[in-house]
Amino acid sequence: MAIVLLVLTLCLNAFALAAESGKGAAVKPESGEGIYRAACTACHGPNGKGVSRSVVGFENPLPDFTDCNFGPREANNDWAAVVTHGGPARGFSRIMPAFHPALTAEEIDRVVEYLRGFCREPAWPRGELNLPRALVTEKAFPEDEAVVTTSINATEGSAVSQKVVYERRFGARNQFEAVLPYGFAGRNGAGWGGGIGDIALGYKRVLFHSLRHGSIFSLTGEAVLPTGDRARGFGKGVTVFEPFASYGQILPGDSFLQFQGGVELPTHTDDASRAGFWRVAAGKTFTQGGGFGRAWSPMVELLADRDFEPGARTNWDVAPQLQVTLSTRQHIMANFGVRIPATHTAGRPVQIMFYLLWDWFDGGLRDGW
Ligand code: HEC
């Protein structure tokens, strides 16, 4: 009898121990991790790096969720779109299955949140803080982007100018940028003349970002070099240092605000004067396809600049505009608007402005349509 009791207690103890030790490792099947283990590891691997091609039996490369240069820049909504409707929702392969309706929207949110754990470095700003780019106001988010902006004078003589901006990120918070402007102007009935303007080189650093507060703040130092032919109206003929701050703030209801303010400091003030500028862009994003499709972002910018000279005036412009994502991947976008002088309008043209933007990190120009 005693022996039976002893064996029984031992057994019960063993059970209790097993239950105890199992607790830490137990994963609730409905938790983000539980869903990931059940539905995603076969392809994405338990460590999020993607299992080898020989195991999955398809050629398409799998994303590496542990790569912080990739994961954090993608917004939750983009990942939720892919998990809900499958790879084609963002112009990816069909091999990435659609989990709607097998998983509920809440379960998809949970598994996407679980994916966030794979990059363990909080220094990388999150893609949600990558707000729609306005025509003039510069963003705080560090980008891998190429943008071609065209401005056409609608008043005050014929002129067309274009600006190619190339931006490249390095590390979690840094970005290099180069700006090449060029233009064509009508010469009072003597045909059109063209030329390149002042090339600018800049370095941006994110000083603060928080998804919880919905804000991001950066400083940029830019040098504008006198590469343009000043005599023909292209460029200032003097090197100008242009430090500026930029700030982005997410607001409720997919609205946002962006600020940029800075100074222009020419190395010689004979040819160009010191000046200050400040810019605000306010807008709201509307998304088609139940929140996962094409995004339309109407915005309005208020643009001010003023020379630092006694008696100088502040010029104000207003620029209503509409940005839209063109590709399914949402890495190619366009923005179209008008820049209208609001004060001191004499000699300042109304300009029609538009850009084409390519986030080249997310895919080639022909990918993801
Ligand atoms: C049958 C294999 C397979 C399964 C199962 C699978 N995936 Fe994928 N997933 C892929 C492939 C392949 C890609 C890359 C597609 C491409 O690049 O064209 C991908 C891409 C993704 C992406 C897009 C990443 C980016 O580039 O922005 C996300 C997010 C994702 N998967 C999440 C999940 C989650 C979460 C699960 C489980 C609920 C899951 N996947 C299950 C194969 C799979």
Side-chain angles (χ1 to χ4, degrees):
M1 185 68 191
I3 291 176
V4 174
L5 262 180
L6 187 72
V7 170
L8 245 174
T9 7
L10 275 178
C11 281
L12 281 173
N13 271 341
F15 252 107
L17 262 179
E20 199 55 42
S21 66
K23 244 184 209 165
V27 174
K28 292 207 182 104
E30 71 280 11
S31 70
E33 184 178 2
I35 297 163
Y36 184 83
R37 286 195 188 179
C40 321
T41 37
C43 295
H44 291 289
N47 58 8
K49 285 170 175 288
V51 299
S52 83
R53 289 181 198 185
S54 56
V55 176
V56 281
F58 50 76
E59 280 299 305
N60 294 56
L62 282 149
D64 178 356
F65 292 118
T66 65
D67 176 5
C68 294
N69 188 32
F70 153 67
R73 69 168 79 206
E74 306 297 335
N76 271 2
N77 189 55
D78 291 314
W79 279 359
V82 168
V83 180
T84 308
H85 297 304
R90 282 288 179 275
F92 292 116
S93 149
R94 282 183 191 283
I95 298 169
M96 168 62 206
F99 285 90
H100 173 78
L103 297 176
T104 64
E106 291 76 41
E107 286 169 329
I108 289 171
D109 287 347
R110 259 178 263 151
V111 72
V112 165
E113 209 43 57
Y114 178 72
L115 297 180
R116 293 291 167 200
F118 286 123
C119 160
R120 297 180 183 281
E121 297 165 27
W124 298 79
R126 274 282 292 277
E128 282 81 351
L129 298 168
N130 189 357
L131 299 169
R133 184 186 183 107
L135 286 167
V136 184
T137 308
E138 198 164 314
K139 296 176 16 166
F141 196 86
E143 290 283 16
D144 281 322
E145 246 171 37
V147 190
V148 182
T149 305
T150 307
S151 310
I152 303 170
N153 281 15
T155 59
E156 309 284 343
S158 359
V160 178
S161 61
Q162 270 190 325
K163 188 169 91 165
V164 181
V165 181
Y166 171 80
E167 297 173 336
R168 184 179 199 100
R169 276 178 84 160
F170 57 100
R173 296 161 175 266
N174 310 295
Q175 179 213 291
F176 161 79
E177 71 182 42
V179 185
L180 169 68
Y182 47 92
F184 304 92
R187 289 178 300 196
N188 296 328
W192 285 67
I196 67 161
D198 290 345
I199 292 175
L201 299 173
Y203 165 73
K204 176 185 288 176
R205 178 156 176 93
V206 179
L207 294 190
F208 171 81
H209 65 91
S210 158
L211 184 60
R212 201 159 61 85
H213 295 102
S215 37
I216 179 163
F217 176 77
S218 307
L219 286 182
T220 305
E222 211 163 74
V224 189
L225 310 171
T227 48
D229 185 346
R230 184 164 184 257
R232 289 166 57 217
F234 301 106
K236 292 192 166 155
V238 57
T239 300
V240 180
F241 289 104
E242 200 177 294
F244 62 82
S246 32
Y247 175 75
Q249 179 65 49
I250 301 175
L251 298 174
D254 293 328
S255 309
F256 53 85
L257 268 181
Q258 302 183 64
F259 295 92
Q260 184 196 4
V263 286
E264 292 173 14
L265 305 171
T267 44
H268 304 288
T269 44
D270 316 344
D271 297 332
S273 41
R274 293 198 185 101
F277 59 90
W278 51 103
R279 303 163 178 169
V280 189
K284 178 175 165 75
T285 299
F286 300 87
T287 314
Q288 290 177 286
F292 293 142
R294 173 160 292 151
W296 301 83
S297 304
M299 293 178 251
V300 63
E301 282 180 283
L302 281 181
L303 309 163
D305 64 75
R306 182 194 177 96
D307 285 352
F308 292 144
E309 276 175 0
R313 307 170 312 188
T314 305
N315 293 325
W316 286 93
D317 292 1
V318 185
Q321 58 202 267
L322 178 64
Q323 194 217 48
V324 58
T325 56
L326 299 179
S327 59
T328 308
R329 181 81 45 90
Q330 305 208 332
H331 69 314
I332 296 174
M333 304 174 201
N335 189 346
F336 186 87
V338 194
R339 179 174 181 160
I340 308 158
T343 60
H344 314 297
T345 51
R348 301 203 303 123
V350 173
Q351 289 183 310
I352 292 163
M353 291 185 73
F354 53 90
Y355 71 57
L356 273 178
L357 180 158
W358 168 32
D359 179 345
W360 47 263
F361 186 91
D362 273 355
L365 279 173
R366 301 213 316 235
D367 295 339
W369 285 91

